[in-house]
Amino acid sequence: MATYVIGDVQGCFSALMKLLKAIDFMPTKDRLIFCGDLVNRGGQSLDVLRWVYAHQKCCDSVLGNHDLSLLSKYYLKKFRTKNTEFKEIFNASDAALLMDWLLHRPLYIEQQDVMVIHAGLYPGWGIKQFKKLATKTRTKMLSDPAVFFKTMYGNTPKQWSEDLAGHLKHRFVINASTRMRFVKKDGALNFSQNGRISAMKNLKPWFSYFADKTLDQHIIFGHWSALGFYQDRNVTCLDTGKVWGGQLTTLQLENQSVFSIT
Ligand SMILES: [Mn+2]
């Protein structure tokens, strides 16, 4: 029995199959946890969704921003999109099944002593507070997806406050969990920079705010292909940008081995 956490697949189905063959993945014994962003840009999003759906007994994924983009279009009935991969999914005979399965993915997954979140853990929160907030936001999303997605998008509020309520609170939870990379010293999320750390002076990666302590759980995240594979005592980034011509990477939790394919 082995547990593999896999970085952002983004519709790269052939690469996923190549990776699973290389690690000798056994559906009856092993377990896969995806870092989110199963879909978009790779060209084979429908194949990825169908495969993961068919293997749901041994697979799970957290929600990423691209997954939410697909879900919001579906539940708001914006089927006339220019995104051909999304269109292919909407036109598929099993679309309703696949979208319902994707909608029910969580914002975080705990396994052993790790926690998988698509973008990361907001520096203003502890793990316990994040879990509480994420659970509430997910419950809201599932209670009426169309209502939830109507107000989900927006770059404000930038900073967390205990006073946030309603859709603004849920929006912040979604933005922090699925879109965050750099955070200002005052706690404001930044949505314009997605590049390398060295290029940024007044912004710090979210995980650098935890550098002087040890978190109770090791955070594994994706979403940041420009960062690529990264590891420190609290976090591991597995987004090695397969969809941009990079690699698809997996970390096996039991022996901490890292494996990538091009
Ligand atoms: Mn992402």
Side-chain angles (χ1 to χ4, degrees):
M1 146 94 198
T3 311
Y4 298 94
V5 185
I6 299 179
D8 307 36
V9 177
Q10 289 209 250
C12 295
F13 181 68
S14 307
L16 175 61
M17 292 302 106
K18 192 175 159 185
L19 179 77
L20 297 182
K21 198 173 171 190
I23 61 175
D24 199 19
F25 168 67
M26 308 264 276
T28 50
K29 284 189 194 166
D30 302 332
R31 180 168 145 83
L32 305 179
I33 302 172
F34 293 92
C35 286
D37 282 355
L38 288 171
V39 299
N40 209 7
R41 294 197 175 127
Q44 301 167 296
S45 294
L46 179 58
D47 296 316
V48 172
L49 282 180
R50 280 178 171 159
W51 190 91
V52 179
Y53 179 82
H55 292 81
Q56 58 184 285
K57 272 191 179 162
C58 58
C59 289
D60 203 353
S61 179
V62 294
L63 285 171
N65 54 308
H66 288 285
D67 307 314
L68 287 167
S69 169
L70 173 66
L71 287 168
S72 67
K73 283 185 172 63
Y74 181 78
Y75 284 97
L76 293 172
K77 302 192 190 308
K78 291 182 178 171
F79 302 132
R80 273 191 282 170
T81 167
K82 281 181 188 159
N83 187 318
T84 52
E85 278 176 272
F86 285 6
K87 224 184 233 174
E88 195 188 1
I89 294 167
F90 298 150
N91 290 331
S93 56
D94 48 353
L97 281 178
L98 298 174
M99 292 300 89
D100 185 66
W101 176 83
L102 191 61
L103 178 72
H104 283 82
R105 291 315 93 214
L107 289 169
Y108 68 88
I109 294 172
E110 292 174 287
Q111 174 82 24
Q112 297 151 21
D113 53 354
V114 311
M115 177 180 277
V116 180
I117 315 173
H118 182 61
L121 177 67
Y122 180 64
W125 299 332
I127 286 175
K128 224 172 143 183
Q129 188 179 8
F130 162 68
K131 281 168 65 174
K132 229 170 145 179
L133 290 166
T135 303
K136 275 190 182 164
T137 294
R138 179 169 184 262
T139 303
K140 186 73 188 167
M141 187 194 303
L142 294 176
S143 73
D144 193 336
V147 167
F148 183 88
F149 290 128
K150 220 178 262 175
T151 56
M152 184 184 75
Y153 281 107
N155 290 340
T156 54
K158 295 251 191 281
Q159 275 158 302
W160 171 250
S161 155
E162 298 290 341
D163 299 331
L164 286 179
H167 73 274
L168 292 178
K169 185 177 186 173
H170 297 305
R171 181 188 288 165
F172 189 91
V173 172
I174 292 289
N175 283 342
S177 318
T178 69
R179 297 177 63 202
M180 174 178 68
R181 291 187 186 94
F182 290 102
V183 178
K184 270 187 177 174
K185 279 192 180 137
D186 63 3
L189 299 173
N190 171 282
F191 297 116
S192 52
Q193 301 296 339
N194 58 10
R196 297 196 149 275
I197 293 171
S198 56
M200 305 299 135
K201 279 179 182 148
N202 49 353
L203 296 167
K204 281 166 69 175
W206 64 266
F207 48 83
S208 68
Y209 292 94
F210 296 110
D212 60 349
K213 55 186 160 203
T214 301
L215 292 168
D216 292 340
Q217 283 170 308
H218 189 85
I219 312 286
I220 302 179
F221 65 106
H223 186 60
W224 200 338
S225 59
L227 177 66
F229 181 79
Y230 172 86
Q231 226 166 15
D232 67 25
R233 65 170 161 169
N234 286 318
V235 306
T236 300
C237 177
L238 291 180
D239 184 4
T240 46
K242 175 62 206 165
V243 75
W244 304 113
Q247 297 174 312
L248 184 63
T249 296
T250 183
L251 168 73
Q252 193 201 321
L253 294 184
E254 287 78 10
N255 64 12
Q256 292 293 300
S257 64
V258 177
F259 183 79
S260 301
I261 54 111
T262 51

